[in-house]
Amino acid sequence: MTIIFGLEFDDVVFPVLPEREGVTTIGDQYLGPKGLLLFLEGQLGIADPGSENDYLRIEQYRQYLSKHLVNHPQAFFADSFEADQLGTAITLLEWRDELILGGAVLSMDKSFPERIKVIAQLEIMMNQAGDKPIPGPADRFSRVIRLMEETTIEVDRFISHEPINLFPTHIQRAISLIKSKENTSLFAAKDQTEAITDLDHFRHVVSGKSTGDPIGCKADGSLVVLKFKRETEGASWLASFFRQNPQFRPLCLIPEKNRMLDNAVVQEGLPSMGILSESVVRPTLQVLKLVSAFLWEPVDPFKVMEFVSLSMVPLDNELAAVLAEQIAKSPGLNSDRWKNKVNQFFRELEERNDEKKDIRKIRYEYNLWFQSPRFDISGTVPVDIVIEKFSYLSDWGLSLFKDGGKKHRSLLVLSDQARKIKEILEALPPSDAQLTSLQIERIVRTVYEPSPVSFLERKQGHLPFIHFPSAIAKLVDDLVWWNFTDQGPDNEFNKWYTEEIEFFARENIYPVFPSLKQEQRLWAAQRPIKYTQKRLFLVVPESVEGKAVHPHSMMSDLVVAFKDFEKLMVDPINADAPLLNAHFNMPQLVTIEHEPLGKAKPYLQIRDRYSLINNEKESYTSLDSLFYYPYQWVFRHQARLRKSNILSVVKEPTLMGNLAHSLFEMMFQKDIHSWNRQQTETWISQKLKALFREEGSVFLLYGKEPERVNFENKLKYAGWTLVRLIQENGWEKIETEVTLEGKFMGVQLKGIADMVLTRGSEKAIVDLKWRGGKYRENLIRNKEDLQLVLYSRLLGGDESWAHTAYFIIDTGTMIARNNLAFKEAVAVSPDADHSEVNQEIWAKMENTYTWRKSQLEKGMIEIRTEDTSHILDEAFSEDADYQSLLEMKDGDAPFDDFKTLIGLLS
């Protein structure tokens, strides 16, 4: 048996055989620290070495820290523990493990420095406690080393990849106890004595063999720096380069685990490398972080929306879609509309009698997430309620993984992590039966980690790759270092104090100091350069994932090595590449001609005329489109083209309008004729509390108090103003959300009026708007208040015209044509007879409708935009009927979903 050991050999290692990764010949094993520990435990016959349960070790250690503070409240970690218990436990447990691996015997009573003394006291407490401490990797390695001192473990050859002095103390001790016939090192690569190529010289520089001044580049193509603006650009070019040069099969060093380069390679038709994609933003894993959204008041509608919108969620997909739509419109829970939607869903589900749907399970899941008790976020929640949710999440993930043919491994990761969280919660002492929001978030964060997912299997003939620079165990001809960029800070502060370092030296304790980590990183960074024999390509993008990045620290060695190093830099996208042209087929940049859509034309002409005019029902919205922008009427109401419904929580201005409508609808169902200002404002304050929870919880979130108070004050002012206007102008009966039906030009018409008032034989329609007072004034002034005129006719019938007005809630202003209905209203045309004006507008609406229908009967669909309006107006200027129509718009339609179809985006 031959063991080849390297610090980064727990991951992908080069070389490997496609059929058996990690093995080059029978008996040869590439082992990293984890692999070495498992190998030694197996050789020593340790049947149960211990599971990966660091999450429970952390919780157990937290409990020991808590107990220690009872007797030592001034311990050095007290303040940190008060701020973040689990975070402190994680840090101190790492210190404890590092000391044990460094050779410290913490269970002995010695004159330790203060912090080491506390860690030793904790160790003694753990060993004396009734519950056995959970062993971690440090404990397992210590046990292995003790047993190896009594038992001989033999191998034929032991090959260390790095120099022995770069290994941590426990690794050195373990290696020294392994008996082998041959103990050699791979780290001394066979460097050429003479610098023949640019790569040879660079290798000598980083090896310290070249002490002279920088030399001139030979530009022989052995060392190339590929520059790109973005890593996506580099991936596309490299993939094309690999396809056009099949004889070039380099080892690819891909430091970060993402599939950018692999995806580009697959798109070029080359075999997939099967690189795992490691990310914390998997939709399945997002559920873990969203569980807490169902524990607290106030409701966070953004998190709830994210939950119901996930592709995989422990909730029926149809029900999730219903709830998402409701949250988007009314961000809250359990409003009357919410309950109606949910009841309708379950009623239809029962009527459908779908055998594939388990109604009991669907109801249980709905109740688990949306009907379970909630607690004030500034308080605590019983731990049993939290356990129930994570327990179900774990079972759901495992069940879905099995039902799906065990394909979605991220579900297995979700189930495992939810189980770990449940086990931490179950391990809490009785004193922690109530948890705060911060405690729950910290527990989740302790367990939450990226989920490695394989989107494509590794294909035969793929390019070899590694993720760590020091994972090269064999000389390689060609190497492409993908994203040769700074992967983070190379330096870190030493956590140990001077007196502690002096104590370590006296006691022969060897923690891993930052200086050793720095040496390991430097040695690893040099490996690809020293082990590459023919060609080394360094890929240097200016930005990665949209963020600017710095070149790798080894780039400074390149600058030092060559006085004209710029000759080694190639921009293959924007410039010629002589370093590569002589040896390779180069990808050619293909310019795709921009084909503009063309400008909007005044008309579209179609043959199927009947489909344009066959519309038996209309609304104000559809009529408005037909009058001013006929193409919208055709696309939306005839062709049934709809904008895709990307659900998101409604924006605050719209939400304010919705909440105000809901509030006023409830308020004016009361008898407000005797209310005074105090009664009105008191009622509004009381109702708003429930309304915010059910339909506007956005305003209850942290930091929203100023907006909430300002909004409430505006509603109070507007509410009392509207009540006073109704009282002082003698309006007797009040109706809200009144359905109006009738006919317009023989077509059935339906609309909903916000408010209808009655005073004797008179009636008035009030349209509630959140804001836009100036815009509404202009509508009335220009006789474009079509909706009010339309509703006035539907309400009054053919015999009379109801009064109309806009009430602007934001400013508490009533806007009307005259003061006949409301004396205090802003009268746009105070002397105008509203009946005559309404009749005039009505006649123009009828004429415009007839004119538009005549166009459609000819197959003509008018496209009115800023560019075509003058053409259309000139074409109809001599038409006598044109003067009797509504005044046409001369600009583009606002909020137009069909700009691409009419060529407006060219």
Side-chain angles (χ1 to χ4, degrees):
M1 178 184 295
T2 298
I3 293 178
I4 305 99
F5 176 81
L7 290 175
E8 299 296 352
F9 283 7
D10 283 320
D11 208 285
V12 183
V13 185
F14 179 82
V16 294
L17 287 180
E19 64 273 12
R20 192 179 177 196
E21 291 189 356
V23 178
T24 53
T25 58
I26 300 299
D28 290 1
Q29 295 192 40
Y30 285 83
L31 301 178
K34 291 181 180 178
L36 179 63
L37 176 59
L38 290 172
F39 168 77
L40 295 176
E41 288 174 331
Q43 293 294 307
L44 292 168
I46 299 176
D48 184 19
S51 58
E52 296 292 334
N53 51 12
D54 281 349
Y55 59 98
L56 287 179
R57 291 186 68 227
I58 293 168
E59 171 53 28
Q60 188 182 58
Y61 206 68
R62 183 197 68 82
Q63 295 180 27
Y64 285 125
L65 293 178
S66 181
K67 293 176 183 177
H68 181 83
L69 285 174
V70 173
N71 298 321
H72 304 85
Q74 302 301 320
F76 75 92
F77 62 85
D79 292 341
S80 298
F81 191 80
E82 183 179 1
D84 184 356
Q85 295 187 11
L86 280 173
T88 304
I90 291 171
T91 299
L92 293 184
L93 188 57
E94 289 175 353
W95 291 13
R96 177 259 184 196
D97 289 350
E98 187 176 336
L99 290 173
I100 289 178
L101 292 176
V105 181
L106 296 174
S107 59
M108 296 179 62
D109 186 11
K110 291 188 177 183
S111 55
F112 293 114
E114 177 60 27
R115 297 194 303 174
I116 312 300
K117 180 180 179 181
V118 171
I119 296 175
Q121 290 172 342
L122 288 164
E123 194 71 15
I124 294 172
M125 182 192 302
M126 291 166 60
N127 293 329
Q128 293 176 346
D131 52 336
K132 185 178 180 182
I134 301 172
D139 304 286
R140 292 166 56 192
F141 245 116
S142 296
R143 176 173 57 175
V144 162
I145 290 174
R146 288 197 304 270
L147 292 175
M148 289 177 67
E149 292 173 344
E150 304 170 358
T151 305
T152 301
I153 294 180
E154 294 187 4
V155 297
D156 293 327
R157 298 175 67 206
F158 188 95
I159 302 174
S160 58
H161 187 220
E162 292 89 348
I164 193 75
N165 63 295
L166 292 184
F167 293 144
T169 301
H170 65 287
I171 298 292
Q172 293 187 32
R173 293 182 64 190
I175 292 175
S176 67
L177 293 171
I178 297 176
K179 305 297 182 182
S180 61
K181 299 176 183 177
E182 181 181 353
N183 196 324
T184 59
S185 295
L186 281 178
F187 67 87
K190 297 178 176 61
D191 294 328
Q192 295 183 9
T193 56
E194 183 180 356
I196 300 173
T197 66
D198 288 335
L199 178 56
D200 292 336
H201 177 67
F202 188 36
R203 188 185 306 115
H204 285 189
V205 169
V206 299
S207 301
K209 294 185 178 181
S210 176
T211 58
D213 295 331
I215 67 171
C217 296
K218 297 180 180 180
D220 53 19
S222 61
L223 181 59
V224 180
V225 179
L226 297 171
K227 294 177 58 180
F228 298 98
K229 284 286 185 183
R230 295 168 295 278
E231 86 280 18
T232 51
E233 187 179 74
S236 298
W237 186 89
L238 269 178
S240 179
F241 183 80
F242 292 151
R243 181 179 59 80
Q244 296 190 40
N245 298 277
Q247 76 287 354
F248 181 62
R249 293 186 54 78
L251 171 65
C252 296
L253 169 54
I254 306 173
E256 64 281 347
K257 288 187 178 180
N258 70 50
R259 292 186 43 78
M260 179 71 67
L261 182 59
D262 199 14
N263 286 337
V265 165
V266 171
Q267 294 213 355
E268 287 290 337
L270 300 176
S272 169
M273 292 183 275
I275 295 177
L276 294 177
S277 178
E278 191 169 88
S279 173
V280 296
V281 294
R282 301 274 174 243
T284 47
L285 291 185
Q286 291 300 302
V287 179
L288 280 175
K289 300 174 72 174
L290 296 173
V291 168
S292 61
F294 298 93
L295 299 172
W296 307 110
E297 287 277 6
V299 174
D300 188 333
F302 299 100
K303 289 185 177 180
V304 176
M305 172 62 83
E306 187 178 351
F307 179 88
V308 297
S309 300
L310 290 173
S311 57
M312 290 185 179
V313 63
L315 192 69
D316 180 78
N317 289 334
E318 291 183 53
L319 178 58
V322 170
L323 299 181
E325 187 174 355
Q326 187 60 35
I327 295 167
K329 296 176 181 177
S330 302
L333 299 181
N334 294 321
S335 65
D336 290 339
R337 295 186 184 91
W338 173 286
K339 294 174 182 176
N340 291 337
K341 288 286 186 181
V342 172
N343 291 335
Q344 180 184 352
F345 168 80
F346 281 111
R347 186 168 57 252
E348 292 176 354
L349 190 61
E350 291 173 352
E351 292 173 356
R352 206 189 322 167
N353 196 22
D354 189 345
E355 295 181 356
K356 296 181 179 179
K357 298 277 189 177
D358 186 343
I359 298 181
R360 291 180 60 185
K361 178 184 176 184
I362 295 172
R363 283 191 180 277
Y364 175 80
E365 290 177 335
Y366 171 74
N367 291 331
L368 175 69
W369 301 115
F370 294 99
Q371 297 301 308
S372 60
R374 288 177 174 271
F375 303 84
D376 191 291
I377 197 168
S378 61
T380 59
V381 57
V383 69
D384 291 343
I385 292 179
V386 188
I387 290 174
E388 179 188 15
K389 287 179 168 47
F390 282 106
S391 177
Y392 184 81
L393 196 60
S394 176
D395 295 341
W396 170 80
L398 183 60
S399 174
L400 203 61
F401 172 71
K402 293 178 178 178
D403 293 343
K406 300 183 179 182
K407 295 179 181 179
H408 301 290
R409 294 195 60 82
S410 58
L411 285 168
L412 195 59
V413 176
L414 167 68
S415 175
D416 183 57
Q417 293 188 12
R419 175 187 57 80
K420 290 178 179 178
I421 294 172
K422 182 194 73 168
E423 290 178 359
I424 291 178
L425 294 170
E426 291 174 339
L428 293 173
S431 58
D432 289 336
Q434 298 281 333
L435 297 176
T436 65
S437 173
L438 179 60
Q439 287 175 312
I440 295 174
E441 294 294 333
R442 199 62 184 85
I443 290 173
V444 173
R445 199 186 314 165
T446 301
V447 172
Y448 190 73
E449 59 186 17
S451 167
V453 174
S454 176
F455 290 102
L456 285 175
E457 295 296 326
R458 197 165 300 173
K459 303 295 183 182
Q460 186 173 3
H462 70 82
L463 291 172
F465 70 93
I466 54 175
H467 291 303
F468 295 95
S470 62
I472 306 177
K474 180 182 178 182
L475 298 179
V476 59
D477 286 342
D478 303 312
L479 185 141
V480 172
W481 194 327
W482 167 254
N483 279 4
F484 186 66
T485 57
D486 184 9
Q487 299 296 316
D490 289 337
N491 299 314
E492 59 183 71
F493 292 107
N494 193 343
K495 59 177 170 285
W496 304 113
Y497 296 159
T498 302
E499 63 171 332
E500 294 166 346
I501 296 174
E502 293 173 352
F503 169 77
F504 295 151
R506 292 195 304 270
E507 298 293 330
N508 295 321
I509 299 172
Y510 305 99
V512 178
F513 293 117
S515 57
L516 178 60
K517 293 182 181 180
Q518 177 65 15
E519 289 181 40
Q520 291 172 348
R521 281 191 288 262
L522 179 60
W523 189 92
Q526 295 175 355
R527 280 302 85 191
I529 300 167
K530 291 182 178 181
Y531 267 51
T532 305
Q533 300 302 296
K534 292 184 179 180
R535 285 171 293 213
L536 175 62
F537 290 3
L538 306 175
V539 182
V540 185
E542 295 180 13
S543 67
V544 174
E545 295 182 352
K547 298 178 181 178
V549 293
H550 296 288
H552 195 281
S553 57
M554 294 294 293
M555 185 66 80
S556 59
D557 295 274
L558 190 64
V559 175
V560 171
F562 300 97
K563 59 186 178 183
D564 53 354
F565 74 95
E566 295 88 354
K567 292 183 179 179
L568 301 176
M569 306 186 80
V570 175
D571 184 354
I573 300 293
N574 303 308
D576 192 25
L579 285 177
L580 302 175
N581 289 338
H583 309 285
F584 298 99
N585 298 319
M586 297 294 289
Q588 299 300 314
L589 188 64
V590 178
T591 302
I592 300 176
E593 293 295 332
H594 174 63
E595 296 185 10
L597 295 173
K599 293 185 177 181
K601 299 178 180 179
Y603 284 101
L604 290 178
Q605 187 73 41
I606 68 170
R607 296 177 182 177
D608 188 3
R609 304 171 186 178
Y610 177 75
S611 63
L612 293 182
I613 60 175
N614 183 27
N615 202 37
E616 298 178 354
K617 295 181 180 180
E618 296 284 1
S619 65
Y620 162 71
T621 303
S622 65
L623 282 179
D624 187 68
S625 297
L626 179 61
F627 292 155
Y628 294 115
Y629 298 100
Y631 68 90
Q632 288 191 343
W633 183 84
V634 172
F635 290 154
R636 182 177 292 118
H637 301 288
Q638 305 305 111
R640 309 295 184 192
L641 299 179
R642 294 285 190 272
K643 183 179 180 181
S644 60
N645 193 15
I646 302 175
L647 293 175
S648 59
V649 176
V650 63
K651 294 182 180 179
E652 284 189 16
T654 306
L655 177 58
M656 289 179 182
N658 294 343
L659 291 174
H661 271 77
S662 296
L663 182 75
F664 286 174
E665 181 182 351
M666 290 186 291
M667 186 171 74
F668 288 105
Q669 290 175 359
K670 306 290 183 180
D671 184 6
I672 54 88
H673 290 89
S674 60
W675 283 14
N676 57 31
R677 180 167 191 160
Q678 183 178 356
Q679 287 177 291
T680 303
E681 293 183 352
T682 300
W683 187 92
I684 289 175
S685 293
Q686 293 174 346
K687 286 298 179 183
L688 266 180
K689 293 178 182 178
L691 191 61
F692 279 138
R693 289 196 302 271
E694 295 174 357
E695 299 184 27
S697 58
V698 170
F699 290 108
L700 297 176
L701 297 179
Y702 178 78
K704 284 293 183 180
E705 184 176 3
E707 290 87 344
R708 183 173 70 249
V709 171
N710 183 50
F711 177 57
E712 183 172 345
N713 289 336
K714 286 185 175 182
L715 287 181
K716 288 179 179 178
Y717 176 76
W720 168 241
T721 300
L722 188 52
V723 168
R724 182 174 53 81
L725 287 171
I726 292 173
Q727 291 175 350
E728 294 180 356
N729 287 277
W731 294 102
E732 302 160 356
K733 184 180 178 182
I734 306 170
E735 298 175 274
T736 58
E737 298 297 308
V738 179
T739 300
L740 304 175
E741 294 184 285
K743 289 197 173 183
F744 175 79
M745 300 296 290
V747 178
Q748 190 66 32
L749 197 62
K750 183 178 180 179
I752 297 177
D754 291 339
M755 183 178 291
V756 174
L757 307 176
T758 304
R759 183 176 61 187
S761 60
E762 293 181 280
K763 290 185 179 294
I765 294 175
V766 179
D767 194 12
L768 302 176
K769 300 295 183 185
W770 171 245
R771 59 184 181 184
K774 290 295 181 182
Y775 173 70
R776 311 299 168 186
E777 286 186 38
N778 289 331
L779 285 181
I780 296 175
R781 183 176 294 108
N782 298 330
K783 300 179 181 179
E784 294 179 339
D785 50 332
L786 307 188
Q787 184 176 12
L788 292 182
V789 172
L790 195 61
Y791 288 179
S792 177
R793 171 50 61 91
L794 292 178
L795 181 63
D798 296 334
E799 300 177 358
S800 63
W801 292 95
H803 298 285
T804 58
Y806 292 111
F807 183 73
I808 310 302
I809 302 171
D810 184 41
T811 58
T813 306
M814 187 75 78
I815 302 173
R817 197 176 308 280
N818 53 41
N819 298 109
L820 295 179
F822 301 97
K823 296 177 183 178
E824 301 85 350
V826 176
V828 177
S829 304
D831 299 327
D833 184 324
H834 70 279
S835 297
E836 293 181 0
V837 175
N838 286 355
Q839 188 61 51
E840 177 188 345
I841 296 173
W842 184 264
K844 288 188 175 184
M845 291 169 65
E846 290 181 328
N847 293 338
T848 306
Y849 183 84
T850 302
W851 182 61
R852 288 300 190 199
K853 282 294 186 178
S854 67
Q855 288 181 322
L856 296 174
E857 287 173 356
K858 299 173 184 176
M860 296 171 60
I861 304 174
E862 182 182 298
I863 308 294
R864 180 169 286 271
T865 69
E866 184 178 355
D867 294 330
T868 63
S869 59
H870 66 283
I871 301 175
L872 294 168
D873 290 341
E874 289 178 5
F876 303 126
S877 60
E878 298 181 0
D879 188 342
D881 293 337
Y882 192 61
Q883 306 306 318
S884 64
L885 308 178
L886 295 168
E887 184 177 350
M888 293 295 109
K889 309 292 185 181
D890 56 4
D892 297 337
F895 314 113
D896 193 353
D897 296 332
F898 309 106
K899 289 183 177 181
T900 301
L901 292 179
I902 64 174
L904 204 57
L905 294 182
S906 59

